[in-house]
Amino acid sequence: WGLSRRLKRWRRAWVRRNPMRSPRHSTKRPLGRGTIGCGVDVVELARFQQAMRRGGRAFMRRIFTEQEEAYARARPRTMMLHLAGRFAAKEAVIKAMSQIDPKRLLAMKQVEIRNDRLGRPHIILHDRPSGRVNVHVSLSHVNTVAVASAIVTR
């Protein structure tokens, strides 16, 4: 009985000294305002082309929206690089969103990447929002690799 009291007292003191490690701040549930999630993804062009060949038209329909396909088809020389970049961006956004709200599962087609008038990419989420989020994304690609990073804030 005495040992149990000492352990409880020690645990309370430990939680006071380490507030971010207490069970109240578990990552299992959605976090409050000011929360930041970060996601990064790298796509090798050769592996992406192989997946495109294997999956065919069904793969395209499952992953990309019509606007994303039209954007890439308008650039025939670099179409695969643009699609790979958008694929990486979708993966990065999904990873970042899962850090903020693990219960909010997004499908690839629910994340749409569009460009504004200046050519900067921005994200449109096509799901039922469980709270307002801001998504910032950056894309880059070279001959054989596409990379994207996403930061989500609530």
Side-chain angles (χ1 to χ4, degrees), residues 14-121:
W14 185 85
V15 167
R16 269 193 304 266
R17 285 191 308 270
N18 302 291
M20 293 309 289
R21 291 189 180 189
S22 79
R24 283 178 279 154
H25 298 309
S26 170
T27 59
K28 300 278 190 263
R29 60 188 138 125
L31 302 173
R33 295 198 78 60
T35 307
I36 297 175
C38 179
V40 176
D41 197 54
V42 178
V43 175
E44 286 182 63
L45 189 59
R47 291 186 68 201
F48 182 73
Q49 286 174 326
Q50 183 181 11
M52 291 280 287
R53 276 193 300 274
R54 230 185 0 241
R57 187 77 191 120
F59 178 80
M60 287 285 286
R61 277 196 311 267
R62 195 171 53 247
I63 303 296
F64 300 107
T65 64
E66 291 175 14
Q67 290 87 0
E68 290 170 327
E69 284 186 51
Y71 173 82
R73 288 190 196 287
R75 294 151 180 78
R77 268 192 26 230
T78 57
M79 182 178 96
M80 284 305 221
L81 267 177
H82 285 283
L83 288 174
R86 289 199 163 16
F87 184 86
K90 289 171 181 263
E91 284 281 332
V93 169
I94 290 170
K95 289 175 184 177
M97 289 293 291
S98 72
Q99 291 176 3
I100 287 191
D101 190 353
K103 293 181 182 173
R104 188 174 179 177
L105 301 174
L106 292 171
M108 289 289 238
K109 203 161 185 170
Q110 290 177 317
V111 179
E112 184 175 358
I113 292 90
R114 289 194 188 168
N115 288 7
D116 64 10
R117 288 179 293 130
L118 300 175
R120 297 176 298 200

